[in-house]
């Protein structure tokens, strides 16, 4: 998956083959869109000449937002069609039993009550279909700001190249975003293990989800029994749901951080104008040459502002704190009961470090790279809090966002834990002082 938001970036076509386009070149028909070329006519005639748009012409009527989610859904499911397997009754039973056992173990290591109201086993296709509402809420504001920034930054000469199709750019952008999102979802659905692995609860409220086909593939590469791997993942899913069910502000804070980033998306108009001037000086932009047009895309890449960097740091810290808390309570719950816990936990850490679903998803959406160092430091905070102050004090930090460690606190996690004890002692001393103050 690309780590450039919404696929901005130069083409990787071979320049030597520019005059010999292959079947994969210019998949969205940008050459025809921007230049018209020979035989240019009405928009409907353009559509009839474009292989992709000819098949998806009915989707041009999409009016549901900046991302064509119908196309995204169809693209993801199409990519999964050959490899997805239906969920068997036996798999549903095994997952339900693992999640129930996981909840019993977690009851002994955290004061947060269970958040599991029902257990679900999804196929890869079901994961795509069932999580789309949450993805829509997350991605639409980003795509909307990207389109607005691009439109506002393009010079008049660039807009003039669109000619009679200028009014269709919103629909074309929706198709382009929908195609990219669908491709990303297809890949993600092929490896996602649980309903909360990306760091956000994507399933309906109270639903604990495992994807048995992906769990089986994950377990196949490990030297542990399949039921042990399934129970380990059930512990992680059930622990995550406890947080999201009983920390009411958490989900909204995560979404707010993403949307705060979206509100700051801008494109440097001066950079575009300089790029156009350079292009004109080196031979100009050929509207009929997709390679020429794609050289404009790096100029359209949004700039990152200080406000966006703050939003990303807040999002990164929250995700690390959620993941670190899950690591800590799962380790406490598994204890000696799950012989392979240490190896499985290390496998998950390596999965994150090499770019797991959470990192890939947010890198694609907002350019966020989840640093494993942050996750380890967050787990250190939660483990040390439980050891030094008890699980009740550890979980009390989730009662208000201002009580949580900041990004700076994670630089010195043990200092943060030590300060919690000092704060308790100061409060106790204050409570013991006489009304006329200390002598």
């Amino acid at each position: 998956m690309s780590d450039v938001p919404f696929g901005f970036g130069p083409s990787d076509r071979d320049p030597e083959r520019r005059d010999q386009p292959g079947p994969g070149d210019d998949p969205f028909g940008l050459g025809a869109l921007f230049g018209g070329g020979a035989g240019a006519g009405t928009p409907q005639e353009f559509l009839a000449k474009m292989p992709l748009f000819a098949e998806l012409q009915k989707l041009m009527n999409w009016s549901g937002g900046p991302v064509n989610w119908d196309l995204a859904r169809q693209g993801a499911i199409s990519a999964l069609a050959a490899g997805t397997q239906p969920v068997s009754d036996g798999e549903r039973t095994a997952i339900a039993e693992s999640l129930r056992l996981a909840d019993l173990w977690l009851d002994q290591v955290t004061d947060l009550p269970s958040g599991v109201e029902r257990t679900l086993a999804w196929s890869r296709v079901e994961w795509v279909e069932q999580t789309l509402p949450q993805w829509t809420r997350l991605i639409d504001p980003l795509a909307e700001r990207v389109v607005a920034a691009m439109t506002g930054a393009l010079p008049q000469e660039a807009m003039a190249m669109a000619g009679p199709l200028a009014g269709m750019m919103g629909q074309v952008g929706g198709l382009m975003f929908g195609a990219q999102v669908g491709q990303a979802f297809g890949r993600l659905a092929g490896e996602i293990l649980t309903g909360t692995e990306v760091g956000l609860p994507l399933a309906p409220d109270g639903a604990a989800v495992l994807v048995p086909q992906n769990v089986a593939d994950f377990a196949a590469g490990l030297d542990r029994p399949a039921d042990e791997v399934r129970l380990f993942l059930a512990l992680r899913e059930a622990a995550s749901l406890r947080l999201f069910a009983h920390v009411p502000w958490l989900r909204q804070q995560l979404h707010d951080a993403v949307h705060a980033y979206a509100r700051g998306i801008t494109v440097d108009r001066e950079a575009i104008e300089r790029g156009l001037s350079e292009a004109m000086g080196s031979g100009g932009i050929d509207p009929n040459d997709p390679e020429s047009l794609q050289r404009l895309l790096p100029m359209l890449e949004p700039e990152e502002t200080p406000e966006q960097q703050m939003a990303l740091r807040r999002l990164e810290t929250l995700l690390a704190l959620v993941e670190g808390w899950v690591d800590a309570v799962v380790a406490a719950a598994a204890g000696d009961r799950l012989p392979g816990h240490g190896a499985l936990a290390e496998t998950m850490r390596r999965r994150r470090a090499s770019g797991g679903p959470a990192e890939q998803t947010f890198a694609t959406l907002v350019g966020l790279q989840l640093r494993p160092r942050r996750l380890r430091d967050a787990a250190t905070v939660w483990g040390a809090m439980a050891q030094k102050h008890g699980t009740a004090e550890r979980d009390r930090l989730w009662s208000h966002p201002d009580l949580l460690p900041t990004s700076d606190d994670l630089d010195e996690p043990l200092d943060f834990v030590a300060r919690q004890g000092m704060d308790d002692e100061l409060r106790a001393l204050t409570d013991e002082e006489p009304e006329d103050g200390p002598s």
Side-chain angles (χ1 to χ4, degrees):
M1 296 173 65
S2 170
D3 60 357
V4 181
F6 293 106
F8 289 115
S11 168
D12 58 359
R13 285 180 53 205
D14 184 352
E16 296 181 359
R17 297 177 63 245
R18 183 179 303 171
D19 297 328
Q20 302 175 2
D25 294 327
D26 192 22
F28 295 103
L30 293 178
L33 277 176
F34 282 93
T42 66
Q44 289 74 19
E45 291 171 344
F46 281 137
L47 293 175
K49 296 176 182 179
M50 303 176 202
L52 174 62
F53 288 165
E55 296 177 7
L56 303 173
Q57 186 170 357
K58 61 181 180 179
L59 296 176
M60 289 296 291
N61 296 324
W62 171 264
S63 59
V67 177
N68 191 317
W69 289 102
D70 285 348
L71 178 57
R73 175 183 173 276
Q74 291 182 21
I77 293 176
S78 176
L80 293 168
T84 192
Q85 299 173 3
V87 179
S88 68
D89 291 339
E91 288 172 328
R92 289 191 179 89
T93 299
I95 285 174
E97 292 176 350
S98 295
L99 285 165
R100 282 195 290 268
L101 180 57
D103 246 353
L104 289 174
W105 288 6
L106 290 169
D107 283 338
Q108 302 172 33
V109 296
T110 176
D111 291 340
L112 292 180
S114 173
V116 178
E117 298 176 4
R118 60 190 183 279
T119 62
L120 297 173
W122 282 346
S123 68
R124 293 170 174 175
V125 170
E126 286 175 319
W127 183 89
V128 170
E129 294 177 329
Q130 296 298 324
T131 62
L132 275 182
Q134 288 295 333
W135 287 118
T136 300
R137 182 186 175 196
L138 185 68
I139 295 176
D140 270 351
L142 291 163
E144 186 175 357
R145 283 298 305 158
V146 169
V147 172
M150 288 170 54
T151 303
L154 282 174
Q156 292 298 320
E157 54 194 292
M159 290 298 294
M161 288 192 297
L165 293 180
M168 298 176 61
M169 291 307 295
Q171 291 174 310
V172 172
L175 285 175
M176 294 176 68
F177 289 151
Q180 180 176 349
V181 169
Q183 183 183 37
F185 282 2
R187 293 177 181 176
L188 192 57
E191 64 180 42
I192 200 77
L193 299 172
T194 70
T196 58
E197 191 181 0
V198 300
L200 289 167
L202 299 175
D205 290 346
V209 178
L210 267 67
V211 183
Q213 182 177 357
N214 294 345
V215 171
D217 290 346
F218 178 70
L222 306 174
D223 188 22
R224 303 305 309 173
D227 58 347
E228 186 175 287
V229 175
R230 184 173 55 248
L231 180 54
F232 170 75
L233 295 173
L235 280 165
R236 296 184 58 82
E237 176 75 346
S240 296
L241 286 187
R242 291 188 180 225
L243 271 187
F244 286 106
H246 301 292
V247 182
W249 49 265
L250 179 57
R251 187 193 307 240
Q252 190 60 48
Q253 288 260 336
L254 287 165
H255 280 277
D256 286 348
V258 175
H259 297 167
Y261 180 91
R263 287 193 297 270
I265 290 177
T266 58
V267 177
D268 188 348
R269 181 166 183 165
E270 293 182 358
I272 294 177
E273 292 175 345
R274 287 195 302 270
L276 284 173
S277 298
E278 293 172 1
M280 295 301 180
S282 62
I285 298 175
D286 182 1
N288 296 311
D289 180 11
E291 183 74 17
S292 175
L293 289 170
Q294 287 178 352
R295 284 197 292 269
L296 289 174
L297 293 181
M299 308 174 206
L300 296 176
E301 183 177 337
E303 293 186 311
E304 189 171 279
T305 65
E307 292 76 14
Q308 287 177 298
Q309 292 173 357
M310 290 179 61
L312 287 181
R313 188 162 59 250
R314 176 61 175 165
L315 177 59
E316 177 189 62
T317 301
L318 274 176
L319 289 170
L321 290 172
V322 170
E323 190 81 2
W325 186 87
V326 169
D327 281 356
V329 298
V330 168
D336 297 330
R337 296 165 169 161
L338 207 61
H341 169 263
L344 292 171
E346 179 60 27
T347 299
M348 291 300 293
R349 282 192 288 268
R350 291 179 180 176
R351 177 179 169 92
R352 292 193 299 258
S354 62
E359 183 175 351
Q360 292 177 3
T361 300
F362 284 101
T364 298
L365 299 180
V366 296
L368 171 67
Q369 298 291 338
L370 288 178
R371 292 172 291 175
R373 181 176 65 85
R374 298 284 85 181
L375 299 176
R376 288 194 297 269
D377 293 338
T380 298
V381 165
W382 298 122
M385 279 294 299
Q387 184 177 11
K388 186 175 180 63
H389 304 295
T391 58
E393 282 298 300
R394 178 198 64 194
D395 296 344
R396 183 182 63 84
L397 295 179
W398 288 107
S399 62
H400 194 280
D402 291 346
L403 297 178
L404 289 177
T406 64
S407 178
D408 291 338
D409 290 329
L410 292 185
D411 291 335
E412 299 292 342
L414 296 181
D415 287 351
F416 172 82
V417 174
R419 287 199 304 273
Q420 303 311 301
M422 294 174 61
D423 292 342
D424 292 340
E425 293 174 4
L426 288 173
R427 281 195 297 269
L429 288 173
T430 301
D431 292 341
E432 292 174 1
E433 288 177 357
E435 294 183 1
D436 57 353
S439 58

